[in-house]
Every structure is written in C-alpha cells, then in structure tokens.
Amino acid sequence: MSKMTIGEILQKYPFAMSYFVENKLDVEGYEGETFQDFLGGFNQEQVEDLAMDKKELQENLEIFINQMNEFLGIKEDVGVKSLTILPGYDKSGEAEGFNELTINTSQIISIVGPTGAGKSRLLADIEWTAQKDTPTGRSILINGEFPDKKWRFSSNNKLVAQLSQNMNFVMDLTVMEFLQLHAESRLVEDVEGTIEKIIKAANSLAGEKFQLDTPVTALSGGQSRALMIADTAILSSSPIVLIDEIENAGIDRRKALNLLIDEDKIVLMATHDPTLALIADKRIVIKNGGISKIIETTEEEKEILHELEKIDSFVQAMRTSLRNGESLSR
C-alpha cells in the first residue's frame, strides 16, 4: 500500500476519504502522489500546528482500511504463499543449526523435541513475525520479504491459528449456534452451506458422530478437536495452523491433516508420535530453546511410515472393537 498513489487508494477503497477528512487532510489535487509523499510536503511549522505524527498517520491508514474491509466483508487475498524462518540463537547463545527454512502452502512441518525445549517460542516468533526482536533473535519472512505491518499490529489479520491440546467449551451453545456465530462474524454469504460443510468434515474426523443440535459442552475431547479442526480449515482466514499433539485428539489424524492442506494451509505440528513426525514433509528438531536441525523425510523413512501406519490401523481397529463391546481374538 505504501507504493499506491492517493488516487489508487481512493479508487480501490473509496471509504478511505473519510479517514483523510477525519484527520483534516485535504488530499484534493494530490491524487498522483503517494500518501507518504503527501505527508512529506508539510513543513515543520505545519506539522507542529496540526500536532501531526506522520508515521502514525501512515500506519493507521492501513489499519483503518483493513478494519473497514473486515466490517464490510470485502475479502482480499492475504497472499501468504510461503513462510521463511531465518536463524537466531538457542538459550546458550549458540547459533541455530540451519541457514533458513522456507515452508509453502499445503506443506506439513512437524516440530519435535523434549517438553520445554522451545516449541512454543518458535510458534510465538512466527505469530508475531519476529524481526530479531524476540529472545531467540529469529526473523520471519512472508513470501520471501519482510512482512507487512498488518501481520504485527492489526487484530484483523491473524497469521497463526492455534489448536491446543485441551479444547473444552464453556459456552451454552449448540454446535449449530456456535458455527453460525463464527460464520456470521466472518461475513460468510452462504452460512447454511458453510455450516453443513464443516459438520460433515468434523464427523469424518471424529470417532463418534454428533449433530448440529448437540450442545458444545457435551462434546467429547475428540469431537471438540474434530469440530475445531474443521472450523479452522474451512472458516479461519489464518494461513498458518499450529497443532499441538494431535495424537491425543481421538480423531482420524491423517484425514485431519489432509483437510487442512486441502484448504491451502501451512501446517506446523508439534508431536511426539513417530507416525505423525514422518507424515510431515520436513521436521524441525528443537533443543535448548533453538532449532538444532531440519530433517527432510527420506524415502526410507516413508517406507517405515507405511509400516507404522499399518500398526496404527491395527491398534485403531482394536480400540474400535473394544468401544463397541466386542471381544478381541488373535
């Protein structure tokens, strides 16, 4: 937006004129200039008389436009095609063990390491698009460039959607009411069709199906996780999804991951499960607060994964039989 002329801004966002008027900025005749150049035309005396903060005016214009787009339901392509992590340091001040990591949409990256190793810090760095201003000293690039300010300062643009281990609802709503509220808050045109799509996807993940009139407080842990994964995949505008220990969710894990990448999400998955670690395209190894190394899943590991999935399928079948009250036999 910084490169757009005032005329281009007003053509694309006609409501921006109200921002100029409210801030007593007469832009008539300056349509061919950028907003930055327009502000640069004020001398020091004018700046003091108007109590003008040029930097704040520029940043607030972008925030104003983003908020109005959200309110009016104008959806722009957030444009996140890739995320790049540039290295920083571990807790001992040692350089992290990689040059850079670029993750593209529809890719799955697993994060492995001991409890407390620093997985949450990595997530926070990504969420806030760190620019060497966090304890790790990492930098985050979006589409190979330093990120737009909206990822850091606008509440309307959330880069990361988090799915935590524990998802307990406390609100007194049915599944239908919960999904309807979320769909309406996102200004979705086809609310009914979107809800139908989400509940169908959620029930394909959950071990036991549930209905739209089911109270969200009555959902099991697995059902809650299935609902939130489907909701995040289909309704969330966040291009990056972090899942924490999906192995404990009681859902079809492979289907859950496929659902997210089919919606062009970048998926980062913290896990202790070898099956899930090997499903990922690459895995980030965290030690002592830093990224120790990045491992690309090899062909041999994919063969091992095939065997692990057979074992996992066998265990899941046994679990289902036990739940259904059946006796097990060799």
Side-chain angles (χ1 to χ4, degrees):
M1 191 177 298
S2 61
K3 296 180 181 179
M4 294 174 68
T5 64
I6 290 173
E8 289 170 338
I9 291 172
L10 290 174
Q11 184 176 6
K12 189 171 184 180
Y13 313 106
F15 51 75
M17 181 57 78
S18 64
Y19 177 84
F20 298 134
V21 172
E22 288 171 10
N23 286 280
K24 300 178 181 178
L25 299 171
D26 185 3
V27 297
E28 188 175 351
Y30 297 93
E31 288 84 358
E33 296 185 8
T34 66
F35 188 43
Q36 182 177 358
D37 289 341
F38 168 77
L39 293 174
F42 288 87
N43 59 40
Q44 189 60 35
E45 185 178 347
Q46 291 173 312
V47 169
E48 291 175 359
D49 287 344
L50 295 171
M52 181 186 293
D53 185 326
K54 295 180 183 180
K55 184 178 179 182
E56 187 176 278
L57 282 169
Q58 287 177 252
E59 291 177 352
N60 286 346
L61 171 61
E62 187 164 341
I63 291 171
F64 173 81
I65 288 173
N66 288 334
Q67 290 176 338
M68 285 298 294
N69 279 340
E70 186 80 12
F71 177 74
L72 295 171
I74 300 171
K75 295 187 177 180
E76 294 190 274
D77 180 10
V78 294
V80 176
K81 305 301 180 187
S82 70
L83 166 79
T84 300
I85 305 170
L86 300 180
Y89 307 91
D90 65 15
K91 292 177 182 177
S92 302
E94 296 292 326
E96 293 187 292
F98 71 109
N99 293 322
E100 70 174 50
L101 171 63
T102 295
I103 311 166
N104 299 308
T105 53
S106 298
Q107 277 195 313
I108 301 172
I109 303 295
S110 61
I111 306 171
V112 299
T115 300
K119 295 187 287 290
S120 296
R121 180 68 260 174
L122 173 59
L123 168 64
D125 284 350
I126 294 170
E127 185 170 15
W128 292 100
T129 55
Q131 298 299 306
K132 296 184 179 180
D133 52 1
T134 68
T136 64
R138 293 184 188 118
S139 294
I140 304 298
L141 305 181
I142 303 297
N143 299 334
E145 299 178 349
F146 290 105
D148 191 288
K149 288 184 176 65
K150 68 183 179 181
W151 299 123
R152 308 199 87 188
F153 305 118
S154 173
S155 60
N156 293 324
N157 292 283
K158 296 294 289 180
L159 189 65
V160 175
Q162 297 188 52
L163 296 169
S164 62
Q165 279 189 69
N166 301 313
M167 309 204 96
N168 298 317
F169 290 101
V170 294
M171 58 189 78
D172 186 21
L173 297 173
T174 63
V175 171
M176 175 72 173
E177 290 167 335
F178 168 75
L179 293 175
Q180 188 169 11
L181 280 174
H182 191 193
E184 289 175 351
S185 73
R186 299 296 310 162
L187 300 172
V188 171
E189 292 183 8
D190 182 12
V191 173
E192 187 175 335
T194 301
I195 291 173
E196 184 179 343
K197 185 178 179 182
I198 293 172
I199 191 70
K200 183 179 179 181
N203 275 325
S204 74
L205 305 179
E208 186 175 347
K209 297 187 186 303
F210 54 95
Q211 306 301 318
L212 284 171
D213 60 359
T214 304
V216 291
T217 51
L219 296 176
S220 68
Q223 290 171 327
S224 296
R225 183 68 76 95
L227 176 61
M228 290 310 300
I229 287 174
D231 179 84
T232 298
I234 295 165
L235 263 183
S236 174
S237 62
S238 300
I240 300 170
V241 178
L242 181 99
I243 306 175
D244 186 20
E245 297 191 15
I246 194 174
E247 59 262 36
N248 298 327
I251 61 173
D252 188 317
R253 300 169 297 180
R254 173 68 88 164
K255 280 186 181 178
L257 294 172
N258 287 341
L259 175 62
L260 290 165
I261 62 175
D262 285 347
E263 295 293 333
D264 294 328
K265 304 290 186 183
I266 293 172
V267 180
L268 292 112
M269 173 177 56
T271 184
H272 298 290
D273 187 310
T275 302
L276 291 173
L278 296 181
I279 283 174
D281 302 284
K282 298 177 183 178
R283 58 188 181 273
I284 297 172
V285 182
I286 304 284
K287 289 182 182 179
N288 193 33
I291 296 175
S292 171
K293 56 185 173 180
I294 297 164
I295 302 173
E296 189 161 352
T297 306
T298 65
E299 288 302 318
E300 185 178 0
E301 286 178 330
K302 289 176 183 177
E303 291 177 14
I304 294 171
L305 170 62
H306 184 63
E307 296 302 315
L308 287 173
E309 287 184 318
K310 284 183 181 177
I311 296 169
D312 189 53
S313 230
F314 176 77
V315 172
Q316 293 291 346
M318 295 298 100
R319 184 178 290 131
T320 300
S321 296
L322 289 170
R323 283 174 175 167
N324 292 335
E326 300 169 7
S327 297
L328 303 183
S329 60
R330 287 187 161 183

